[in-house]
Amino acid sequence: MIDLHTHSTFSDGSDRPAELARRAHEIGLRAIALTDHDTTASHDEMAEACADLHLEYVTGVEVSLRDNAFPQVHRDSGLGPRNVHVLAYFVPLDPEHPLQRALASLRHDRDVRNEALVALLVDQGFNRLTLDYLADIAGNVHSIGRPHFARAMFELHPEIVGPRHDETWSRVFTEWLGATGRAYVPKTSMPVEEFVAAARGSGAVLSIAHPLDNYLDGASNAALETTMAPVLASLRERGFVGVEAYYGSWSAATRARMVKVTRDAGMIPTGGSDYHGHYKENVRLGVGLTGDLRVPDEVLDELRAAHER
Ligand code: AMP
Ligand code: ZN
Ligand code: FE
Ligand code: FE
């Protein structure tokens, strides 16, 4: 069993890398990829912790990008850009590498978004919210993400958002921070193609993260095959190797259907829990939200073969 989608304190997870490695070892994972948002800064700490535990470690990252090939229908404003999440594995660490430069540019976009989001929320009544407060709970001003905003909104303004529990936590995203919310600020306009170009020749292997969340637009799962087949064909054409078919927040039946469309597209089904510690309370390392996720070891062998090609 492996887990190729996890977050640490270097982005919006609540476990330090060493804690994550310890937990992975405890549940018997053979390998783990740390996929913090926009950064591989956790590498040294995670590599050391995994080496101590004889746990195989893959350097990963998760980024948000624009997929302009599949514009999205927005309820009020018609066709607009589509934001998608992309996972990269075997990321080169040289800060001068074009892929690391692309990550630095995405971190800059995140910083700019975070400042705008604070201003917008303050305007809408969250007047105790500050970037300092967020940096304090995130541990670093550059790791701040929307889960930190949600946490700060509960801690500073319960009179607006109510007490924190699962349902109010989701509501903060639908009403405020999510794409349909009153305080939504897009993070970046970097197109998928720019990131793929930066990764070219580096050995990095790209997989589209939780693709149903990115491309299904709330349509029922009945449309899964017909919606995803052309999307995967297009992504493959544009340089993607993997598809996150084993995603830990989907049912076993949905995962099985995604594995099939992935194989039919000639791509590798990747997978993971999207573990965030207490920022995603019900998602468990390795086994996901449903508890029955098991990402097969062979997937990593296939990814490694793609990396070495
Ligand atoms: P950011 O990278 O700052 O745009 O934040 C994205 C992160 O916010 C995701 O990785 C999730 O951890 C979290 N997130 C996004 N949408 C939701 C949602 N509807 N419910 C809970 N968490 C969410
Ligand atoms: Zn996250
Ligand atoms: Fe994601
Ligand atoms: Fe994630």
PDB file of all heavy atoms in Angstrom, residues 5 7 35 37 62 85 210 274 276 280, ligand 4:
ATOM      1  N   HIS A   5      -0.530  11.240  -2.240  1.00  0.00           N
ATOM      2  CA  HIS A   5      -1.140  12.580  -2.159  1.00  0.00           C
ATOM      3  C   HIS A   5      -1.323  12.961  -0.685  1.00  0.00           C
ATOM      4  O   HIS A   5      -2.292  12.553  -0.051  1.00  0.00           O
ATOM      5  CB  HIS A   5      -2.478  12.586  -2.908  1.00  0.00           C
ATOM      6  CG  HIS A   5      -3.053  13.963  -3.106  1.00  0.00           C
ATOM      7  ND1 HIS A   5      -4.014  14.224  -4.069  1.00  0.00           N
ATOM      8  CD2 HIS A   5      -2.821  15.131  -2.464  1.00  0.00           C
ATOM      9  CE1 HIS A   5      -4.340  15.517  -4.002  1.00  0.00           C
ATOM     10  NE2 HIS A   5      -3.638  16.090  -3.028  1.00  0.00           N
ATOM     11  N   HIS A   7      -0.339  16.199   2.483  1.00  0.00           N
ATOM     12  CA  HIS A   7       0.088  17.581   2.764  1.00  0.00           C
ATOM     13  C   HIS A   7       0.658  17.682   4.177  1.00  0.00           C
ATOM     14  O   HIS A   7       0.167  17.047   5.104  1.00  0.00           O
ATOM     15  CB  HIS A   7      -1.104  18.539   2.613  1.00  0.00           C
ATOM     16  CG  HIS A   7      -1.641  18.581   1.208  1.00  0.00           C
ATOM     17  ND1 HIS A   7      -1.178  19.470   0.277  1.00  0.00           N
ATOM     18  CD2 HIS A   7      -2.572  17.823   0.585  1.00  0.00           C
ATOM     19  CE1 HIS A   7      -1.817  19.262  -0.873  1.00  0.00           C
ATOM     20  NE2 HIS A   7      -2.668  18.258  -0.713  1.00  0.00           N
ATOM     21  N   THR A  35       2.996  15.944  -1.230  1.00  0.00           N
ATOM     22  CA  THR A  35       2.589  16.795  -2.358  1.00  0.00           C
ATOM     23  C   THR A  35       2.057  18.127  -1.840  1.00  0.00           C
ATOM     24  O   THR A  35       0.892  18.461  -2.038  1.00  0.00           O
ATOM     25  CB  THR A  35       1.513  16.092  -3.214  1.00  0.00           C
ATOM     26  OG1 THR A  35       0.441  15.653  -2.333  1.00  0.00           O
ATOM     27  CG2 THR A  35       2.061  14.897  -3.955  1.00  0.00           C
ATOM     28  N   HIS A  37       1.275  22.061  -1.516  1.00  0.00           N
ATOM     29  CA  HIS A  37       0.889  23.015  -2.556  1.00  0.00           C
ATOM     30  C   HIS A  37       2.068  23.933  -2.897  1.00  0.00           C
ATOM     31  O   HIS A  37       2.616  24.603  -2.014  1.00  0.00           O
ATOM     32  CB  HIS A  37      -0.274  23.895  -2.083  1.00  0.00           C
ATOM     33  CG  HIS A  37      -1.528  23.132  -1.747  1.00  0.00           C
ATOM     34  ND1 HIS A  37      -2.338  22.570  -2.698  1.00  0.00           N
ATOM     35  CD2 HIS A  37      -2.102  22.838  -0.561  1.00  0.00           C
ATOM     36  CE1 HIS A  37      -3.369  21.968  -2.112  1.00  0.00           C
ATOM     37  NE2 HIS A  37      -3.254  22.112  -0.808  1.00  0.00           N
ATOM     38  N   GLU A  62       1.735  19.660  -5.465  1.00  0.00           N
ATOM     39  CA  GLU A  62       0.405  19.851  -6.064  1.00  0.00           C
ATOM     40  C   GLU A  62       0.257  21.329  -6.395  1.00  0.00           C
ATOM     41  O   GLU A  62       0.552  22.182  -5.551  1.00  0.00           O
ATOM     42  CB  GLU A  62      -0.712  19.428  -5.098  1.00  0.00           C
ATOM     43  CG  GLU A  62      -2.115  19.597  -5.710  1.00  0.00           C
ATOM     44  CD  GLU A  62      -3.259  19.142  -4.787  1.00  0.00           C
ATOM     45  OE1 GLU A  62      -3.069  19.118  -3.550  1.00  0.00           O
ATOM     46  OE2 GLU A  62      -4.346  18.841  -5.316  1.00  0.00           O
ATOM     47  N   HIS A  85      -6.322  20.989 -10.471  1.00  0.00           N
ATOM     48  CA  HIS A  85      -5.164  20.666  -9.641  1.00  0.00           C
ATOM     49  C   HIS A  85      -4.314  19.614 -10.340  1.00  0.00           C
ATOM     50  O   HIS A  85      -4.845  18.666 -10.915  1.00  0.00           O
ATOM     51  CB  HIS A  85      -5.607  20.132  -8.272  1.00  0.00           C
ATOM     52  CG  HIS A  85      -6.155  21.210  -7.385  1.00  0.00           C
ATOM     53  ND1 HIS A  85      -6.487  21.012  -6.069  1.00  0.00           N
ATOM     54  CD2 HIS A  85      -6.415  22.518  -7.648  1.00  0.00           C
ATOM     55  CE1 HIS A  85      -6.927  22.151  -5.566  1.00  0.00           C
ATOM     56  NE2 HIS A  85      -6.910  23.078  -6.490  1.00  0.00           N
ATOM     57  N   HIS A 210      -7.474  14.475  -8.518  1.00  0.00           N
ATOM     58  CA  HIS A 210      -8.942  14.329  -8.362  1.00  0.00           C
ATOM     59  C   HIS A 210      -9.732  14.891  -9.552  1.00  0.00           C
ATOM     60  O   HIS A 210     -10.467  15.870  -9.421  1.00  0.00           O
ATOM     61  CB  HIS A 210      -9.423  14.975  -7.049  1.00  0.00           C
ATOM     62  CG  HIS A 210      -8.780  16.305  -6.724  1.00  0.00           C
ATOM     63  ND1 HIS A 210      -9.034  17.446  -7.434  1.00  0.00           N
ATOM     64  CD2 HIS A 210      -7.901  16.653  -5.757  1.00  0.00           C
ATOM     65  CE1 HIS A 210      -8.320  18.446  -6.920  1.00  0.00           C
ATOM     66  NE2 HIS A 210      -7.635  17.987  -5.899  1.00  0.00           N
ATOM     67  N   ASP A 274      -5.026  12.456   0.018  1.00  0.00           N
ATOM     68  CA  ASP A 274      -5.144  13.913   0.175  1.00  0.00           C
ATOM     69  C   ASP A 274      -5.230  14.255   1.672  1.00  0.00           C
ATOM     70  O   ASP A 274      -5.990  15.138   2.082  1.00  0.00           O
ATOM     71  CB  ASP A 274      -6.354  14.464  -0.586  1.00  0.00           C
ATOM     72  CG  ASP A 274      -6.181  15.920  -1.008  1.00  0.00           C
ATOM     73  OD1 ASP A 274      -5.117  16.506  -0.714  1.00  0.00           O
ATOM     74  OD2 ASP A 274      -7.109  16.458  -1.632  1.00  0.00           O
ATOM     75  N   HIS A 276      -4.614  15.841   5.126  1.00  0.00           N
ATOM     76  CA  HIS A 276      -4.260  17.197   5.571  1.00  0.00           C
ATOM     77  C   HIS A 276      -4.201  17.283   7.108  1.00  0.00           C
ATOM     78  O   HIS A 276      -4.246  18.398   7.654  1.00  0.00           O
ATOM     79  CB  HIS A 276      -5.304  18.216   5.113  1.00  0.00           C
ATOM     80  CG  HIS A 276      -5.199  18.690   3.682  1.00  0.00           C
ATOM     81  ND1 HIS A 276      -5.494  17.908   2.597  1.00  0.00           N
ATOM     82  CD2 HIS A 276      -4.844  19.896   3.156  1.00  0.00           C
ATOM     83  CE1 HIS A 276      -5.330  18.614   1.472  1.00  0.00           C
ATOM     84  NE2 HIS A 276      -4.946  19.827   1.791  1.00  0.00           N
ATOM     85  N   LYS A 280      -8.399  18.370   7.365  1.00  0.00           N
ATOM     86  CA  LYS A 280      -9.438  17.533   6.747  1.00  0.00           C
ATOM     87  C   LYS A 280      -9.671  16.407   7.732  1.00  0.00           C
ATOM     88  O   LYS A 280      -9.151  15.292   7.574  1.00  0.00           O
ATOM     89  CB  LYS A 280      -8.999  16.992   5.371  1.00  0.00           C
ATOM     90  CG  LYS A 280      -9.173  17.977   4.246  1.00  0.00           C
ATOM     91  CD  LYS A 280      -9.065  17.327   2.867  1.00  0.00           C
ATOM     92  CE  LYS A 280      -9.212  18.396   1.780  1.00  0.00           C
ATOM     93  NZ  LYS A 280      -8.861  17.884   0.444  1.00  0.00           N
TER      94      LYS A 280
HETATM   95 FE    FE B   4      -4.279  18.002  -2.116  1.00  0.00          FE
END
